[in-house]
Amino acid sequence: MPVESVFPRLEALLPHVQKPIQYVGGELNSTVKDWDACDVRWALMYPDAYEVGLPNQGVMILYEVLNEREGVLAERTYSVWPDLEALMREHGVPQFTVDAHRPVKDFDLFGLSFSTELGYTNMLTALDLAGIPLESKDRGLDDPIVLAGGHAAFNPEPIADFLDCAVVGDGEQAVLDMTEIVRAWKAEGRPGGRDEVLLRLAKTGGVYVPRFYDVEYLPDGRIGRVVPNRPGVPWRVSKHTVMDLDEWPYPKQPLVPLAETVHERMSVEIFRGCTRGCRFCQAGMITRPVRERSITGIGEMVDRGLKATGFEEVGLLSLSSADHSEIADVTKGLADRYAEDKIGLSLPSTRVDAFNIDLANELSRNGRRSGLTFAPEGGSERIRKVINKMVSEEDLINTVATAYGNGWRQVKLYFMCGLPTETDEDVLQIGEMAKNVIAKGREVTGGNDIRCTVSIGGFVPKPHTPFQWAPQLSAEDTDARLAKLRDSIRHDRKFGKNIGFRYHDGKPGIVEGLLSRGDRRIGAVIRAVYDDGGRFDGWREHFSYDRWMACAEKGLAGTGVDVDWYTTRERTYEEVLPWDHLDSGLDKDWLWEDWQDALEEVEVEDCRWTPCFDCGVCPQLGTHIQVGPTGQKLLPLSVVNK
């Protein structure tokens, strides 16, 4: 039976909302397949607004991987703004996909990609608008299987009540394997109902089904153990790792948005994983090992993607893009090839010790010369040893001196506040570093038009990192520390006016901390926030700290634990952590030893170029670090001529 489009009903509402273009679909390279010609149907969601969700690489890749398969369709849905939500409720319009405006409830699987925990209330909004029961225990045979992926899914316990399953790690092969299991179950007549298909998924060892695990608590509120409650369900669930990125050259046909989005460019992931060992960085830990895309693979993806989209900028993405073993050849080859077309190249923020002026010049050759961004993360040498960010202030000053001497005038520095063992003095050193950067710029250029912007985020301890045991700094202490730094910069007559100062207050970080290290008891808090109107918590204008704290007090009543217990409390080695039954590949003893090294201010080298430190990933997952150089050139193609 074809599924009816809700667009005729939706269209009547669009003149009454802001940015209606984001709901109409029809983007270049989008796909609409025949519903009845497919037997497995996916709705994919990045639980945020269209302008944030559409450029998301994870969803874009899975969308294309699934739609390439015969008999499989995938469509996209995004969070609707509160103005449209109210009208949809009033007029009975359900959560819809933007591709064919089909109701999300009619799909077989509803997959959500969480890069941040602050999207959890948006998930509940989408489920409710779709007519899907919020809690998995209330869903029937015809409701979609609701699953989570993305970095936040490495601890899905706070949303365990709302999920049917979660997948950790790389999604490309995982979604195809899940598709075949669902296809076979449907072909057999859906025997055993939802429980049966979820059990088949769980038995693979790579899909976590929360309902098949019981959590036991100790009298003091800590977890006693997490134990399977069905035969054949594994004690630990493994992450998925795609080893050969050249076998997965996605997206081949990147989506081109109709409305303005946060990234107006075509992006290519040049490698996956990171072994720098920054102790605060969950992404670097959970995506190990390093797997580089070959130089020819990168070139082919850029060539195909530009032809398919017409974009004028290419983003070379990874956690530390300048660390690609052939980054110099990649950037020079691309700049040469697209010189006539004026195609710009960009990297995310660059590590100080990976930056060189040749690389910077190649990146700016065909585009505009923008400011440079570096992330020292910590203000003092001492705190950088704690977090294993092996960058000296001398390295930074020498780097920016080179940049200023070659024509740059703006540098942005990114730091964190609230790092383990941090003191007021460590934070005040951020201001001193910024002043030294400007002083060096003035010395090199002989001018006063030098600017340095300091951007500061609050540190949130994350699962599967050495800091997963660390206490989080309270919102009040974070704000007080940042106020001292702001005053020290503002009152400096010589440099203050040349230093931009941007920071977030400590309150969102506490909520993120509650969600990132929470357990199943936090589900009641999320539900209460949603019921109270919580939406778009990642947006400052919609976020309400008071709402979260009031709902936490209500949701955690009678449990013996509170917000501080989840956030500002230090954990011990013996404690069972909520995510211990999800295997990121990292050995827990190794993480603990690295936490002890942090407390002793001991640095650890990058294992790409030094002997193995036994983090556990490679032998446990049967993987290995993959780096070049390949010795190949970018593309066996000539330079584009007009």
Side-chain angles (χ1 to χ4, degrees):
M1 283 272 301
V3 171
E4 186 178 330
S5 168
V6 305
F7 192 74
R9 287 185 286 155
L10 174 68
E11 189 176 22
L13 308 181
L14 295 183
H16 307 289
V17 302
Q18 292 185 325
K19 299 182 181 178
I21 189 70
Q22 65 190 307
Y23 305 118
V24 302
E27 299 95 344
L28 181 64
N29 299 325
S30 62
T31 302
V32 176
K33 298 177 78 170
D34 182 351
W35 184 270
D36 290 332
C38 298
D39 52 7
V40 180
R41 308 169 184 102
W42 285 76
L44 299 174
M45 181 178 198
Y46 188 84
D48 208 324
Y50 177 95
E51 62 200 79
V52 178
L54 184 132
N56 179 260
Q57 286 291 102
V59 171
M60 204 183 294
I61 288 169
L62 298 184
Y63 174 75
E64 198 169 307
V65 166
L66 288 164
N67 277 321
E68 277 191 352
R69 285 295 168 115
E70 192 73 27
V72 181
L73 70 77
E75 297 187 11
R76 298 162 293 122
T77 186
Y78 304 105
S79 295
V80 299
W81 285 109
D83 58 354
L84 182 57
E85 179 192 342
L87 289 170
M88 288 167 66
R89 292 187 186 280
E90 181 184 344
H91 295 275
V93 177
Q95 181 79 24
F96 55 88
T97 61
V98 295
D99 297 287
H101 298 94
R102 290 160 172 156
V104 167
K105 183 177 169 62
D106 290 334
F107 288 76
D108 299 306
L109 300 107
F110 180 27
L112 299 104
S113 179
F114 291 101
S115 58
T116 169
E117 298 84 359
L118 294 175
Y120 290 162
T121 51
N122 284 359
M123 171 184 69
L124 297 188
T125 307
L127 288 172
D128 194 33
L129 285 172
I132 301 168
L134 295 188
E135 299 200 11
S136 60
K137 63 182 175 59
D138 298 325
R139 293 177 194 140
L141 184 60
D142 293 327
D143 290 310
I145 295 168
V146 179
L147 68 144
H151 289 178
F154 276 80
N155 177 25
E157 292 302 279
I159 51 173
D161 291 343
F162 315 120
L163 296 178
D164 292 306
C165 53
V167 175
V168 295
D170 300 330
E172 291 93 334
Q173 187 63 55
V175 295
L176 295 178
D177 293 342
M178 293 181 73
T179 296
E180 293 310 310
I181 290 171
V182 172
R183 172 180 273 156
W185 172 72
K186 289 183 69 177
E188 294 165 23
R190 304 193 295 182
R194 293 179 75 83
D195 255 28
E196 172 64 22
V197 70
L198 291 174
L199 191 58
R200 293 185 188 185
L201 291 168
K203 284 182 175 180
T204 65
V207 179
Y208 174 54
V209 181
R211 73 168 66 178
F212 295 154
Y213 295 80
D214 294 330
V215 181
E216 300 171 2
Y217 297 99
L218 300 172
D220 64 2
R222 292 178 300 154
I223 294 173
R225 64 175 188 156
V226 179
V227 56
N229 57 30
R230 300 288 179 96
V233 174
W235 282 81
R236 299 191 81 201
V237 178
S238 299
K239 81 167 180 179
H240 298 261
T241 304
V242 168
M243 284 308 299
D244 189 347
L245 294 188
D246 283 341
E247 289 183 1
W248 301 90
Y250 297 92
K252 300 173 183 175
Q253 303 278 313
L255 292 163
V256 180
L258 293 177
E260 184 179 357
T261 59
V262 291
H263 298 302
E264 300 285 347
R265 65 188 180 206
M266 191 209 96
S267 297
V268 173
E269 185 184 30
I270 62 174
F271 72 89
R272 197 171 287 181
C274 183
T275 48
R276 287 281 192 165
C278 299
R279 294 174 174 128
F280 58 83
C281 182
Q282 184 190 47
M285 293 290 170
I286 63 177
T287 59
R288 292 182 175 205
V290 168
R291 291 145 287 154
E292 287 190 353
R293 199 180 297 278
S294 71
I295 188 170
T296 51
I298 294 168
E300 288 160 5
M301 284 185 69
V302 171
D303 185 57
R304 183 171 54 234
L306 287 175
K307 289 175 180 174
T309 63
F311 278 123
E312 296 179 345
E313 181 182 336
V314 176
L316 303 176
L317 303 187
S318 78
L319 292 174
S320 184
S321 296
D323 284 343
H324 191 287
S325 61
E326 294 178 300
I327 190 64
D329 287 339
V330 168
T331 53
K332 185 178 187 310
L334 292 174
D336 285 347
R337 174 162 173 72
Y338 299 107
E340 292 295 316
D341 289 339
K342 298 294 182 187
I343 300 297
L345 303 175
S346 64
L347 297 185
S349 66
T350 311
R351 287 186 62 100
V352 172
D353 51 356
F355 175 86
N356 64 70
I357 206 66
D358 291 336
L359 173 62
N361 283 331
E362 294 296 356
L363 291 170
S364 61
R365 187 176 3 144
N366 297 338
R368 63 185 180 87
R369 175 170 287 196
S370 58
L372 295 171
T373 301
F374 300 105
E377 309 290 1
S380 69
E381 199 92 15
R382 187 195 73 80
I383 205 71
R384 289 194 293 276
K385 288 181 179 178
V386 170
I387 65 177
N388 205 45
K389 189 83 175 187
M390 293 179 289
V391 175
S392 70
E393 183 160 347
E394 183 181 0
D395 291 336
L396 177 67
I397 297 300
N398 289 340
T399 297
V400 297
T402 305
Y404 286 136
N406 281 269
W408 274 269
R409 290 295 177 268
Q410 293 197 45
V411 169
K412 182 177 180 180
L413 303 178
Y414 181 79
F415 299 91
M416 284 187 289
C417 178
L419 291 161
T421 78
E422 181 186 270
T423 64
D424 288 357
E425 184 55 35
D426 292 315
V427 173
L428 290 172
Q429 284 296 311
I430 293 173
E432 296 306 307
M433 182 181 287
K435 294 171 191 176
N436 291 339
V437 163
I438 292 174
K440 176 57 73 170
R442 290 175 178 175
E443 175 190 326
V444 169
T445 65
N448 287 324
D449 61 335
I450 301 298
R451 283 197 59 77
C452 176
T453 299
V454 169
S455 183
I456 305 180
F459 166 68
V460 178
K462 293 286 186 176
H464 305 282
T465 71
F467 287 167
Q468 64 184 0
W469 292 278
Q472 187 174 350
L473 192 65
S474 71
E476 296 76 17
D477 289 340
T478 298
D479 291 347
R481 203 163 275 176
L482 290 173
K484 290 179 182 177
L485 174 60
R486 180 196 62 214
D487 291 344
S488 73
I489 292 174
R490 187 178 289 171
H491 295 146
D492 190 294
R493 294 185 176 181
K494 188 175 182 182
F495 299 107
K497 289 183 179 179
N498 295 80
I499 300 175
F501 187 53
R502 299 174 186 167
Y503 67 94
H504 301 292
D505 65 52
K507 291 177 178 177
I510 290 295
V511 173
E512 189 181 340
L514 176 71
L515 299 176
S516 69
R517 290 195 291 176
D519 52 41
R520 293 188 184 185
R521 292 170 288 193
I522 298 300
V525 179
I526 299 169
R527 176 68 184 267
V529 170
Y530 167 73
D531 288 341
D532 193 54
R535 309 286 191 275
F536 289 95
D537 290 297
W539 294 69
R540 181 177 296 182
E541 59 268 38
H542 293 278
F543 173 79
S544 170
Y545 181 74
D546 291 341
R547 174 191 284 137
W548 275 97
M549 292 304 104
C551 290
E553 188 173 345
K554 181 172 72 173
L556 296 173
T559 64
V561 296
D562 58 15
V563 172
D564 288 344
W565 191 87
Y566 286 104
T567 56
T568 59
R569 177 180 66 94
E570 185 171 351
R571 280 69 165 164
T572 62
Y573 174 78
E574 296 78 18
E575 182 166 345
V576 175
L577 303 174
W579 50 88
D580 278 348
H581 55 295
L582 297 175
D583 187 2
S584 64
L586 295 159
D587 182 74
K588 190 175 179 181
D589 284 339
W590 177 81
L591 287 171
W592 177 262
E593 290 164 9
D594 207 39
W595 169 227
Q596 301 311 299
D597 282 345
L599 296 175
E600 295 171 12
E601 301 170 18
V602 175
E603 296 174 307
V604 178
E605 297 282 345
D606 184 339
C607 68
R608 267 175 294 189
W609 322 116
T610 57
C612 175
F613 292 109
D614 294 324
C615 75
V617 168
C618 292
Q620 193 163 325
L621 298 179
T623 59
H624 57 280
I625 290 170
Q626 293 181 345
V627 295
T630 62
Q632 296 173 294
K633 287 300 168 192
L634 184 66
L635 265 180
L637 299 173
S638 59
V639 173
V640 175
N641 292 312
K642 288 289 187 184

